[in-house]
């Protein structure tokens, strides 16, 4: 049997790994400037952690989790999202004694979805969370930091910020009831998928991509008719602050986000350059969730972004960043000279590569095919004369240098 990767998984290498590193570097820099601390949690957790807050009707719980029994019958799940593990970690490690707590992290998430472009079963996410404040400026700060990261990584892409408010848990409960009533009336016109959500998760019908569903959703009651004055003020403050900072946004009454635990602010950064999987980043407030998981009754807000989706939109770097120096050795007799030069290159932090072939022609052709600029040659003359030949593969010129002269020439 031919070995192959599991469906919906992918290997990251070559240019994509360079992009991944750049994303993680940019995220870490932006996080540092805004006072967020990095955290890494285990990839699997007890299943309860996810099934409890996500709600039994949530899509993620119903179909998408990778859950398995451990040998001692414990039910474990590969994390499908990062908010609940971060809350669990903050509770387990007593980090909530010092509020507000600002955490960020990145790593793989697992969902058993139908794979397609931009949608995998194992994918990487970036996550930012703030625990312990209801201040509207926390919402603004998280939107700003998302904006900074995306602007930094995707400077020439058309990305739009969509925002909405879902009101308090109570507002949302009343709204959901009204929405169910409205959709029940139009049931015959809805898609099969949406029909199943009328009583369980009517909010999700609002972001259905089916044409008939969209038409009916457009005339559905809006959450804004059910907002408390406090929620309205929170939302107005956010919009004012974004305007003051020249952050453009689109108000989108139908933006609801998938998971049951969101309330008040929700936001997404979308692009029309990725086809159906158009959301790069999404987040919102989840007041009540930390208490539900056994922590103190404090509010929280956060967002998650898909690293693969960001990577797909990043420019491929065509200019060669190959500062690596190749080495050619013509005979095993010169091994000590090879050791000497590799130790020296390490000490001056110049990356090097040798193809293990005592063959000048093969080493030169490897260096040329990798578009390398310089090659250090060790042959009989170099051995006897105690020098190194360095050839510039762009100009074709070559020089005979003592080891101490090599650093200056290479960094030139
Ligand atoms: P969510 O946790 O569903 O709000 O997703 C947050 C972000 O993660 C999305 O906006 C996507 O960029 C990314 N994402 C979610 N699911 C997948 C997936 N199956 N494959 C790749 N990226 C995903």
């Amino acid at each position: 049997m031919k070995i192959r990767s599991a469906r919906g998984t992918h290997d990251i290498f070559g240019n994509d790994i360079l992009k991944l590193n750049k994303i993680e570097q940019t995220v870490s820099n932006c996080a540092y400037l805004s006072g967020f601390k990095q955290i890494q949690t285990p990839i699997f957790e007890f299943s309860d952690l996810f099934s409890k807050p996500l709600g039994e009707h949530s899509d993620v719980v119903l179909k998408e989790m990778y859950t398995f029994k451990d040998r001692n019958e414990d039910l474990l799940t590969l994390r499908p999202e990062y908010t609940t593990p971060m809350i669990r970690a903050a509770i387990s490690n007593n980090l909530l004694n010092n509020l507000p707590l600002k955490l960020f992290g990145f790593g793989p998430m697992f969902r058993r979805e139908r794979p397609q472009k931009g949608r995998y079963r194992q994918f990487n996410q970036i996550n930012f969370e703030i625990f312990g404040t209801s201040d509207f400026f926390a919402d603004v700060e998280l939107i700003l930091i998302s904006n900074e990261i995306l602007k930094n990584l995707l400077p020439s892409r058309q990305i739009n910020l969509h925002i909405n408010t879902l009101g308090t848990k109570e507002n949302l409960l009343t709204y959901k009831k009204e929405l169910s009533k409205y959709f029940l009336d139009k049931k015959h016109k809805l898609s099969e998928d949406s029909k199943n959500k009328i009583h369980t998760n009517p909010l999700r019908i609002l972001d259905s991509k089916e044409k008939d569903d969209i038409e009916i959703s457009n005339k559905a009651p809006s959450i804004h008719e059910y907002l408390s004055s406090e929620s309205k003020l929170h939302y107005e403050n956010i919009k004012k602050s974004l305007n003051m900072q020249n952050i453009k946004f689109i108000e989108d009454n139908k933006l609801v986000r998938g998971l049951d635990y969101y309330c008040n602010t929700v936001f997404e950064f979308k692009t029309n350059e990725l086809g159906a999987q158009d959301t790069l980043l999404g987040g919102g407030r989840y007041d009540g969730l930390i208490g539900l998981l056994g922590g103190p009754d404090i509010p929280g807000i956060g967002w998650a972004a898909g690293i693969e989706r960001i990577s797909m939109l990043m420019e491929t770097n065509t200019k060669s960043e190959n500062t690596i120096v190749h080495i050619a050795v013509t005979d095993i007799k010169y091994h000590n000279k090879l050791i000497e030069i590799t130790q020296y290159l390490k000490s001056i932090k110049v990356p090097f590569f040798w193809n293990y072939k005592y063959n000048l022609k093969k080493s030169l052709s490897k260096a040329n095919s990798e578009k390398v600029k310089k090659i250090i040659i060790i042959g009989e003359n170099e051995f006897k004369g105690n020098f190194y030949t360095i050839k510039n593969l762009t100009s074709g010129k070559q020089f005979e240098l003592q080891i101490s002269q090599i650093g200056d020439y290479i960094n030139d």
Side-chain angles (χ1 to χ4, degrees):
M1 193 188 76
K2 203 172 149 201
I3 53 164
R4 57 193 168 89
S5 58
R7 192 163 136 80
T9 65
H10 64 293
D11 304 305
I12 305 175
F13 59 96
N15 214 15
D16 286 341
I17 206 84
L18 296 180
K19 288 186 189 175
L20 180 89
N21 291 339
K22 184 168 177 198
I23 293 171
E24 294 192 348
Q25 193 60 51
T26 305
V27 167
S28 301
N29 290 344
C30 290
Y32 171 73
L33 288 178
S34 295
F36 282 76
K37 299 255 162 60
Q38 189 171 359
I39 188 166
Q40 199 176 70
T41 73
I43 277 168
F44 60 86
E45 301 270 358
F46 287 120
S47 302
D48 278 358
L49 179 71
F50 302 109
S51 49
K52 209 167 151 190
L54 296 183
E56 55 180 313
H57 298 308
S58 157
D59 291 357
V60 177
V61 178
L62 282 181
K63 349 181 256 240
E64 295 178 358
M65 296 209 300
Y66 282 100
T67 297
F68 56 97
K69 259 195 191 143
D70 203 356
R71 281 187 206 172
N72 61 359
E73 302 289 301
D74 281 339
L75 215 49
L76 302 172
T77 293
L78 300 184
R79 61 183 184 202
E81 54 98 38
Y82 218 166
T83 301
T84 39
M86 283 205 186
I87 294 174
R88 200 270 311 135
I91 296 171
S92 306
N93 298 291
N94 296 321
L95 304 181
L96 296 174
N97 294 337
N98 195 359
L99 297 175
L101 180 66
K102 302 186 185 194
L103 295 177
F104 84 102
F106 24 68
M109 305 296 144
F110 304 84
R111 295 182 192 171
R112 202 179 186 292
E113 299 188 277
R114 198 168 47 79
Q116 53 177 273
K117 187 179 168 224
R119 197 207 264 165
Y120 304 96
R121 290 180 171 181
Q122 176 175 340
F123 58 99
N124 290 288
Q125 269 191 352
I126 307 160
N127 255 78
F128 277 71
E129 312 287 342
I130 302 180
F131 303 140
T133 179
S134 308
D135 198 300
F136 76 90
F137 199 66
D139 310 33
V140 173
E141 222 179 6
L142 281 177
I143 292 175
L144 284 182
I145 209 166
S146 324
N147 191 55
E148 274 158 33
I149 291 171
L150 293 175
K151 279 254 155 18
N152 232 301
L153 293 168
L154 308 169
S156 53
R157 296 295 186 179
Q158 174 71 36
I159 298 165
N160 295 318
L161 165 62
H162 295 240
I163 61 169
N164 192 22
T165 178
L166 301 176
T168 61
K169 284 256 171 313
E170 295 73 40
N171 301 157
L172 200 54
L173 213 63
T174 321
Y175 177 55
K176 275 187 186 171
K177 276 191 196 138
E178 290 305 312
L179 212 50
S180 293
K181 265 195 235 159
Y182 171 81
F183 285 129
L184 199 60
D185 246 19
K186 318 264 182 297
K187 188 173 175 178
H188 55 288
K189 289 186 187 158
L190 290 174
S191 69
E192 278 313 303
D193 215 24
S194 290
K195 273 182 195 154
N196 293 329
K197 291 178 185 152
I198 292 179
H199 296 292
T200 56
N201 204 348
L203 285 180
R204 286 313 297 264
I205 303 177
L206 294 178
D207 60 14
S208 159
K209 300 219 158 85
E210 299 288 330
K211 195 172 152 267
D212 291 343
D213 293 346
I214 294 175
E215 227 164 81
I216 295 168
S217 289
N218 280 341
K219 297 195 186 111
S222 153
I223 179 68
H224 290 256
E225 298 160 33
Y226 300 85
L227 294 179
S228 65
S229 51
E230 211 180 307
S231 287
K232 270 187 197 155
L233 181 66
H234 189 87
Y235 190 50
E236 289 308 316
N237 279 334
I238 291 171
K239 288 192 287 181
K240 232 188 267 171
S241 183
L242 290 176
N243 279 328
M244 279 164 71
Q245 299 177 80
N246 284 326
I247 307 289
K248 291 206 171 59
F249 57 85
I250 297 167
E251 280 189 74
D252 182 350
N253 288 356
K254 288 192 342 184
L255 178 65
V256 291
R257 313 271 310 130
L259 306 178
D260 278 3
Y261 53 67
Y262 284 108
C263 57
N264 279 313
T265 319
V266 285
F267 59 94
E268 282 185 352
F269 283 82
K270 293 183 182 211
T271 170
N272 48 17
E273 299 180 50
L274 272 183
Q277 303 308 314
D278 58 354
T279 309
L280 286 174
L281 182 153
R285 215 165 237 293
Y286 43 79
D287 300 350
L289 179 61
I290 301 172
L292 185 71
L293 291 173
D297 188 17
I298 52 168
I301 177 165
W303 60 257
I307 288 187
E308 281 78 1
R309 291 197 194 160
I310 294 176
S311 181
M312 282 161 82
L313 287 180
M314 278 167 76
E315 310 283 338
T316 309
N317 202 344
T318 45
K319 91 171 181 291
S320 164
E321 284 182 7
N322 237 348
T323 52
I324 201 161
V325 171
H326 276 218
I327 303 174
V329 188
T330 61
D331 198 296
I332 195 167
K333 284 186 290 194
Y334 315 136
H335 189 70
N336 58 344
K337 251 183 121 50
L338 175 68
I339 292 176
E340 188 186 42
I341 192 69
T342 54
Q343 283 179 344
Y344 174 72
L345 291 173
K346 274 188 199 175
S347 76
I348 61 167
K349 302 208 168 16
V350 169
F352 60 85
F353 178 88
W354 177 48
N355 62 346
Y356 312 108
K357 298 206 163 62
Y358 297 100
N359 184 315
L360 182 60
K361 225 168 142 186
K362 283 190 178 156
S363 297
L364 278 170
S365 117
K366 174 81 178 166
N368 278 319
S369 72
E370 303 269 325
K371 300 194 169 49
V372 165
K373 299 204 181 77
K374 286 167 186 158
I375 186 164
I376 298 176
I377 299 166
I378 306 171
E380 195 178 355
N381 291 343
E382 288 78 10
F383 183 69
K384 285 192 177 144
N386 199 22
F387 61 86
Y388 291 90
T389 297
I390 301 204
K391 185 171 170 125
N392 183 324
L393 293 169
T394 320
S395 67
K397 285 187 184 148
Q398 60 183 53
F399 305 91
E400 293 174 359
L401 300 178
Q402 295 301 310
I403 195 157
S404 56
Q405 301 171 299
I406 289 179
D408 284 346
Y409 179 73
I410 281 175
N411 291 319
D412 192 17

